[in-house]
Amino acid sequence: MTSMKAVRIHAYGGADVLHYEEAPRPIPGDGEVLIRVHATTVNPFDCGVRAGYLAAWYNYSFPLILGLDVSGAVEELGAGVTNFAPGDTVYARTDPSRNGAYAEYVAVRAAEVAAKPRSLDDIQAAAIPQVALTAWEALIKAANLAQGQTVLIHGAAGGVGHVAVQLAKWRGAKVIGTASGRNLDFLRGLGVDEAIDYTTTQFENVVRDADVVLDTVGGETQQRSWSVLKPGGILLSLVQAPSEETAVAHGVRQQFVMAGQADADVLTKIAALVDAGKLKPTVSTVLPLTEIQRAHELSQGRHIRGKIALQVAA
Ligand SMILES: NC(=O)c1ccc[n+]([C@@H]2O[C@H](COP(=O)([O-])OP(=O)(O)OC[C@H]3O[C@@H](n4cnc5c(N)ncnc54)[C@H](OP(=O)(O)O)[C@@H]3O)[C@@H](O)[C@H]2O)c1
């Protein structure tokens, strides 16, 4: 059996359960593409899986390879795949229930793979899929954000947040973002109309009549968000299901948003936005895959600007 280098976990636990080691190279099944991974990223989801927080939702078995994002080149085609050829440069979000992209190779369903944005290098391209698919699911599919509407984005400097800001601006919305003081200029550079330092300002004292709130933080940030919505507005959370009872009491709507199954059509639309200069990922830290434990520790601090990327191959 051909092998590859991968980061695997053999049990749930802290960052020290992540092991860079030999693993069997995946064989692409029917309708799948084997991608040679050039870069991947860390998402909070990976840390949650590693810690065992998602064991009740996914039927994982060990050893398990994490990693939702991939940019790389098509290495091999499974039976029935006709829309890719070996050597094509692609990007994708792997199926969260399967082995992921912390590896030299990953097998992904072709329906979830798209051509990599031409204007991005591998590191930048890997920063896009999970966060952009999530922001798209929330702002475009759930909220149908429209020109002239106002959206408050919590955690606007983070992985999802910094992409959500740009998607919202592309839709013509007025965007208010929250971050700590050191990230306010970063938010302005992304195009926010108003940047709020959550460490010094209670956002609910300054935001009124928002059509949409995107909550990437949860807890009391979510609780304090109801009052900023206009009647009929919507609170979207990526983190915890908002209370339907509280939504009704405020005359607004709520939805817990899941990234959903990756869709090559959406990834293709997102790549077009990137290549048109409407969306640019920020990668604040690049580490080799061998430094995965450090990457997880950094991510868990929850103060990353944009994304942490992992270089897998040149
Ligand atoms: N439901 C889904 O399908 C789905 C999909 C993707 C992500 N998620 C979840 O959504 C959350 C965000 O994901 P992510 O990838 O964007 O995480 P991330 O990149 O780790 O987010 C870090 C950002 O959060 C900001 N932040 C921390 N505390 C804050 C607060 N109280 N108010 C405002 N901003 C705050 C930080 O800004 P400062 O450093 O300036 O504080 C930092 O920029 C995670 O919990 C993730 O698991 C869910």
Side-chain angles (χ1 to χ4, degrees), residues 257-282:
V257 176
M258 293 287 289
Q261 190 173 337
D263 177 343
D265 289 343
V266 177
L267 282 175
T268 300
K269 286 182 184 143
I270 290 166
L273 283 179
V274 170
D275 288 336
K278 305 285 183 199
L279 178 60
K280 188 171 189 286
T282 291

Side-chain angles (χ1 to χ4, degrees), residues 44 130 134 155 157-161 178-180 182-183 198 216-217 221 238-239 256-259 302-304 306:
Q130 165 71 352
T134 304
V160 176
T178 65
S180 63
R182 75 180 183 93
N183 278 322
Y198 68 83
T216 74
V217 175
T221 297
L238 305 178
V239 183
F256 177 65
V257 176
M258 293 287 289
R302 299 312 298 276
H303 290 292
I304 292 302

Side-chain angles (χ1 to χ4, degrees), residues 21-158:
E21 60 191 20
E22 290 292 325
R25 182 171 137 172
I27 296 163
D30 290 1
E32 294 181 357
V33 170
L34 184 70
I35 301 173
R36 174 155 170 71
V37 181
H38 293 164
T40 181
T41 79
V42 178
N43 284 285
F45 178 87
D46 310 346
C47 300
V49 173
R50 189 212 70 222
Y53 300 152
L54 293 141
W57 283 270
Y58 293 94
N59 192 20
Y60 292 124
S61 56
F62 298 119
L64 175 67
I65 302 173
L66 306 174
L68 296 174
D69 291 316
V70 53
S71 74
V74 172
E75 179 76 13
E76 204 180 311
L77 304 176
V81 178
T82 54
N83 54 336
F84 291 104
D88 286 353
T89 54
V90 293
Y91 78 148
R93 207 285 308 276
T94 70
D95 180 336
S97 66
R98 296 175 50 167
N99 276 330
Y102 290 0
E104 287 179 306
Y105 296 92
V106 63
V108 184
R109 284 188 285 274
E112 299 170 338
V113 178
K116 178 173 93 60
R118 286 186 309 277
S119 54
L120 297 185
D121 63 23
D122 285 311
I123 293 286
Q124 292 172 313
I128 299 257
Q130 165 71 352
V131 294
L133 288 167
T134 304
W136 188 280
E137 192 73 29
L139 296 181
I140 314 299
K141 289 197 187 158
N144 192 20
L145 190 67
Q147 171 107 22
Q149 289 191 321
T150 297
V151 57
L152 169 63
I153 298 175
H154 291 303

Side-chain angles (χ1 to χ4, degrees), residues 153-283:
I153 298 175
H154 291 303
V160 176
H162 89 293
V163 165
V165 166
Q166 297 174 75
L167 285 183
K169 288 308 298 178
W170 163 66
R171 292 284 277 206
K174 176 184 173 191
V175 182
I176 306 167
T178 65
S180 63
R182 75 180 183 93
N183 278 322
L184 296 190
D185 281 344
F186 173 62
L187 297 198
R188 292 184 189 108
L190 295 172
V192 298
D193 298 278
E194 206 177 318
I196 298 175
D197 179 351
Y198 68 83
T199 68
T200 58
T201 304
Q202 298 278 102
F203 63 82
E204 67 274 29
N205 292 341
V206 292
V207 181
R208 288 277 169 280
D209 293 330
D211 298 276
V212 179
V213 174
L214 177 58
D215 167 33
T216 74
V217 175
E220 50 112 26
T221 297
Q222 183 184 105
Q223 291 314 315
R224 293 193 281 117
S225 291
W226 296 108
S227 64
V228 312
L229 285 163
K230 64 166 59 156
I234 187 163
L235 170 54
L236 303 170
S237 182
L238 305 178
V239 183
Q240 59 189 114
S243 155
E244 173 61 16
E245 209 182 338
T246 312
V248 169
H250 283 84
V252 300
R253 296 166 295 141
Q254 59 77 29
Q255 191 174 326
F256 177 65
V257 176
M258 293 287 289
Q261 190 173 337
D263 177 343
D265 289 343
V266 177
L267 282 175
T268 300
K269 286 182 184 143
I270 290 166
L273 283 179
V274 170
D275 288 336
K278 305 285 183 199
L279 178 60
K280 188 171 189 286
T282 291
V283 178

